[in-house]
Amino acid sequence: MTDKMKQIQQEALQRYLKFEKERETESFTAASTEKMMTRSSIINHHDNLAIERIINKSDLFPIAHLQAGLDVSKAVCRIAIRGKNGQLEGYGTGFLVSPNLLLTNNHVLETAESAMYAVAEFNYQDDVHFMPLEIISFRLDPRLFFITNEALDFTLVAVEPNNSNAVPLSNFGYLPLLPKPGKILEGEYVTIIQHPNGGPKAITIRENEVKFISSDFVQYVSDTEPGSSGSPVFNDQWMVVSLHHAGIPDPNDNNVWIANEGIRISSIIQHLSDKRGGIENEESRKLLDQLLSVVMPGSTATPMEVGVLDADWYAGATGYNPAFLGERFTVALPGLSDAMLADVAKTTDGKLELDYTHFSIAMSQSRRLAFFTAVNIDGNQLVDVKRSRDRWYFDPRIDESYQLGNDFYQSNDIDRGHLVRRRDPNWGIDAVKANEHTFHFTNSSPQHKNFNQKVWLDLEDYLLDNARDHDMKVSIFTGPVFRDSDRIYRGAKIPSQFWKVAVMVKDDTELSATAYVQTQEDLIGGNLEFVYGKFETYQVPIEQIEKLTGLNFGELQKADPLAAGQVALVQSREDIRL
């Protein structure tokens, strides 16, 4: 066993012991209401035995479960690790996650050079008569695509589309990766398809209880062997929930294994999304985009449609709560300038803001976009609600002519960028309603697709992750910067800058209010021929947001860690000053 593998196992053991201690000291419910809601949202509604298996530990499955397992097993391969001279150095397991990309562990393929000499061997298994099938081998192509990460212990590498015998890689399918968390609960069981000890393909089926789930890792009781590193770990719906990477040794006897550990797929996908902007090779970027945009088998991606919500959907929506952070820390909505008050789109009952579930929006009549949005986020009650369709709504409480609708966004590279991000208000018992409310044209702003999906995302994730990981409450204000010089397209002006103000309680004693500006000016060329250019994110004083927008944040300036005139370049999460 290598020193690196011993280190990985010891780190896994420390996490296991930490989780055990936390379970002893905290009240623990494996399937709380929120977790169960998230879990049930990604179960195929035709599987009427699924909830019975989760709640009552039933062992009943549709007989098709076995065929589905055979189908997904085709994408799993043995990785033969070879040196420059062709000498065999060891084995691992890997699996296809897109038509041309294979996922395994970093400790299986640590470098692009090691991947250059490795071989992916499919079909290494016995048939029903215990006779070996013909092995079909493919070379890896790290020159086309190679991303690895030691902390999350994964490597993603390209595979040649056809082998030397002209066999297409597509014959083996692939296992799409569902990015959202919630695919497994503690107390459920997982299944692992693997090549133990480099031998024929084998399976440890279901009797592998999940013991602990953390932000990046899943730990489970299972039977695996060396060579199983890089195996896919499945839930009962044959969704990949983690990438197996290590056994956990008994702290009293290193020759005895007490559990196993895998890396959560949602964490791997998040890392890949963060790295996407740094990939310069266009073909490599397309391969990653194909992976990140995969939909679940059996489903189809539907085009955007315009829907109508019944009046009941708006009844009782109290919107943004100024006292959300506590009575001692009231944070009012931003004040509108006189010019804004003259331009604001009032509701049918005369209000200046549109109230939704956990957020509010003030709209500009002339720009047909929001002056600002304001949302409350409760990190202790967050629910991951499935995004099942792309349907957007006009809000009937203001004139439709004050809302930039779908005609503007069709057949171009402009996204309907959520100002209040879809996930942020999705907490508590109204999470599903809040999710649907975010799909209003009032909550969208035109953003180039690269800006919306790649640039603003990391900051939003940072704020949401802190709220979730530390059970914090956060209030966030977001909006575009309106300028007379903004480019006109299809009768509307496209904002070139967006701003965000995040407010939270620091150390339970004082408010912290931080402000950010990010530009997409460099992304916009003449005649809307977009070029993905250089961009920067800056933390700025709230006073600067007020100057850019005309909004008034009142006493929040006193809670701002940046003094007037200061500007801080934000290149990573560590650069943010709270």
Side-chain angles (χ1 to χ4, degrees):
M1 183 185 300
T2 66
D3 290 341
K4 181 173 183 178
M5 196 64 234
K6 290 179 180 177
Q7 179 184 346
I8 290 173
Q9 291 172 354
Q10 288 302 312
E11 290 172 352
L13 173 59
Q14 294 309 309
R15 283 188 287 267
Y16 184 91
L17 296 175
K18 177 176 178 288
F19 299 152
E20 269 199 331
K21 185 175 181 181
E22 288 176 352
R23 176 174 286 188
E24 290 173 359
T25 58
E26 297 177 2
S27 59
F28 175 80
T29 304
S32 64
T33 302
E34 292 83 6
K35 289 181 178 179
M36 180 57 70
M37 187 185 303
T38 304
R39 181 72 181 91
S40 61
S41 72
I42 57 175
I43 293 174
N44 190 311
H45 65 275
H46 293 296
D47 186 356
N48 56 8
L49 298 174
I51 297 299
E52 277 294 308
R53 290 196 298 273
I54 295 172
I55 296 177
N56 298 321
K57 308 301 181 187
S58 168
D59 287 324
L60 290 175
F61 284 84
I63 192 65
H65 178 79
L66 301 178
Q67 183 60 54
L70 283 173
D71 291 343
V72 300
S73 73
K74 295 176 183 177
V76 181
C77 65
R78 180 175 72 169
I79 297 177
I81 306 164
R82 301 180 182 274
K84 289 183 180 180
N85 59 1
Q87 183 176 357
L88 183 64
E89 297 180 348
Y91 293 105
T93 302
F95 54 103
L96 294 171
V97 293
S98 80
N100 289 96
L101 293 178
L102 178 141
L103 185 65
T104 187
N105 290 137
N106 165 270
H107 75 261
V108 172
L109 297 175
E110 294 186 42
T111 65
E113 184 180 16
S114 64
M116 183 70 69
Y117 305 112
V119 177
E121 299 175 335
F122 293 86
N123 232 28
Y124 181 40
Q125 60 194 73
D126 295 338
D127 64 16
V128 294
H129 302 293
F130 303 100
M131 294 297 294
L133 299 178
E134 178 187 1
I135 298 175
I136 303 176
S137 300
F138 289 80
R139 292 192 179 278
L140 307 182
D141 189 0
R143 290 168 298 186
L144 176 58
F145 189 97
F146 184 88
I147 288 182
T148 192
N149 181 268
E150 186 174 1
L152 292 177
D153 196 16
F154 80 86
T155 291
L156 185 67
V157 61
V159 186
E160 61 181 354
N162 299 280
N163 72 3
S164 57
N165 295 321
V167 177
L169 185 66
S170 59
N171 284 359
F172 301 94
Y174 61 90
L175 306 178
L177 303 182
L178 187 64
K180 64 183 294 182
K183 295 180 288 293
I184 196 74
L185 294 175
E186 293 175 4
E188 280 195 86
Y189 297 94
V190 292
T191 294
I192 306 173
I193 299 177
Q194 58 192 293
H195 282 279
N197 289 311
K201 191 180 297 177
I203 184 171
T204 57
I205 189 164
R206 200 169 185 269
E207 288 303 317
N208 316 295
E209 184 179 1
V210 174
K211 303 295 289 185
F212 305 112
I213 300 175
S214 67
S215 57
D216 292 326
F217 298 96
V218 180
Q219 296 189 337
Y220 38 87
V221 178
S222 179
D223 293 322
T224 57
E225 298 285 351
S228 300
S229 293
S231 302
V233 181
F234 299 92
N235 64 12
D236 280 347
Q237 290 75 48
W238 295 110
M239 298 175 186
V240 185
V241 299
S242 71
L243 171 67
H244 175 75
H245 83 133
I248 301 175
D250 189 318
N252 301 314
D253 185 352
N254 286 339
N255 296 314
V256 177
W257 305 100
I258 56 175
N260 283 277
E261 182 178 79
I263 303 97
R264 292 180 68 172
I265 292 301
S266 53
S267 297
I268 293 174
I269 289 294
Q270 180 61 61
H271 180 85
L272 292 171
S273 299
D274 293 343
K275 289 292 183 183
R276 192 267 179 199
I279 298 176
E280 297 181 358
N281 182 280
E282 183 177 356
E283 190 174 357
S284 300
R285 194 162 57 243
K286 285 181 179 178
L287 285 177
L288 182 56
D289 285 345
Q290 189 174 24
L291 166 64
L292 296 176
S293 64
V294 159
V295 296
M296 291 304 298
S299 67
T300 55
T302 56
M304 201 288 294
E305 58 179 298
V306 178
V308 177
L309 286 177
D310 295 335
D312 289 348
W313 279 84
Y314 304 99
T318 55
Y320 172 84
N321 178 7
F324 180 69
L325 300 179
E327 293 184 3
R328 293 190 298 125
F329 306 107
T330 299
V331 181
L333 289 171
L336 301 175
S337 67
D338 291 342
M340 290 175 170
L341 288 171
D343 185 43
V344 70
K346 293 183 179 180
T347 66
T348 50
D349 56 359
K351 292 188 62 176
L352 301 182
E353 298 90 22
L354 293 159
D355 288 332
Y356 300 96
T357 303
H358 304 147
F359 67 99
S360 297
I361 297 176
M363 290 290 294
S364 163
Q365 295 183 31
S366 60
R367 294 296 294 259
R368 294 186 284 166
L369 300 171
F371 282 126
F372 68 80
T373 65
V375 61
N376 302 128
I377 304 174
D378 189 336
N380 191 41
Q381 299 188 64
L382 283 170
V383 176
D384 284 296
V385 180
K386 181 181 179 182
R387 178 172 180 166
S388 58
R389 60 188 175 186
D390 197 11
R391 176 182 291 177
W392 286 72
Y393 308 97
F394 286 104
D395 193 313
R397 296 173 294 177
I398 62 172
D399 196 293
E400 191 173 303
S401 64
Y402 301 151
Q403 305 171 62
L404 201 58
N406 190 49
D407 290 345
F408 179 85
Y409 296 99
Q410 287 183 330
S411 305
N412 55 36
D413 281 339
I414 302 176
D415 276 346
R416 294 170 299 278
H418 279 71
L419 292 174
V420 171
R421 195 162 62 146
R422 184 183 72 85
R423 297 165 59 196
D424 288 355
N426 296 352
W427 51 269
I429 60 174
D430 292 325
V432 173
K433 187 176 182 179
N435 177 76
E436 205 71 13
H437 276 175
T438 65
F439 287 92
H440 278 82
F441 288 115
T442 53
N443 188 42
S444 67
S445 188
Q447 298 172 348
H448 182 266
K449 64 180 182 180
N450 289 330
F451 180 94
N452 180 32
Q453 297 171 2
K454 318 298 187 308
V455 180
W456 205 226
L457 182 64
D458 190 55
L459 175 61
E460 294 179 320
D461 281 344
Y462 173 78
L463 297 171
L464 185 65
D465 289 348
N466 269 276
R468 180 183 60 227
D469 294 346
H470 303 290
D471 294 338
M472 292 172 57
K473 290 184 175 182
V474 184
S475 291
I476 296 179
F477 306 98
T478 305
V481 175
F482 292 154
R483 288 195 176 98
D484 292 338
S485 59
D486 285 336
R487 186 177 301 279
I488 299 177
Y489 176 64
R490 293 186 180 178
K493 290 183 176 181
I494 303 177
S496 60
Q497 287 185 328
F498 293 83
W499 58 270
K500 191 177 294 289
V501 173
V503 188
M504 61 193 73
V505 178
K506 186 177 179 181
D507 300 326
D508 296 324
T509 59
E510 59 180 340
L511 281 181
S512 172
T514 53
Y516 312 89
V517 172
Q518 199 160 48
T519 180
Q520 71 179 96
E521 284 181 320
D522 290 340
L523 304 181
I524 302 180
N527 299 318
L528 280 192
E529 293 179 0
F530 291 91
V531 179
Y532 189 65
K534 185 176 176 59
F535 59 86
E536 302 287 2
T537 302
Y538 295 93
Q539 183 172 348
V540 300
I542 291 175
E543 177 186 38
Q544 187 164 334
I545 303 296
E546 293 180 325
K547 290 178 180 178
L548 286 171
T549 63
L551 294 168
N552 182 354
F553 285 90
E555 297 294 309
L556 273 190
Q557 286 191 35
K558 297 178 180 179
D560 191 344
L562 289 191
Q566 277 189 306
V567 174
L569 178 63
V570 178
Q571 295 178 312
S572 68
R573 295 184 175 193
E574 288 73 25
D575 295 329
I576 296 174
R577 295 175 56 186
L578 298 178

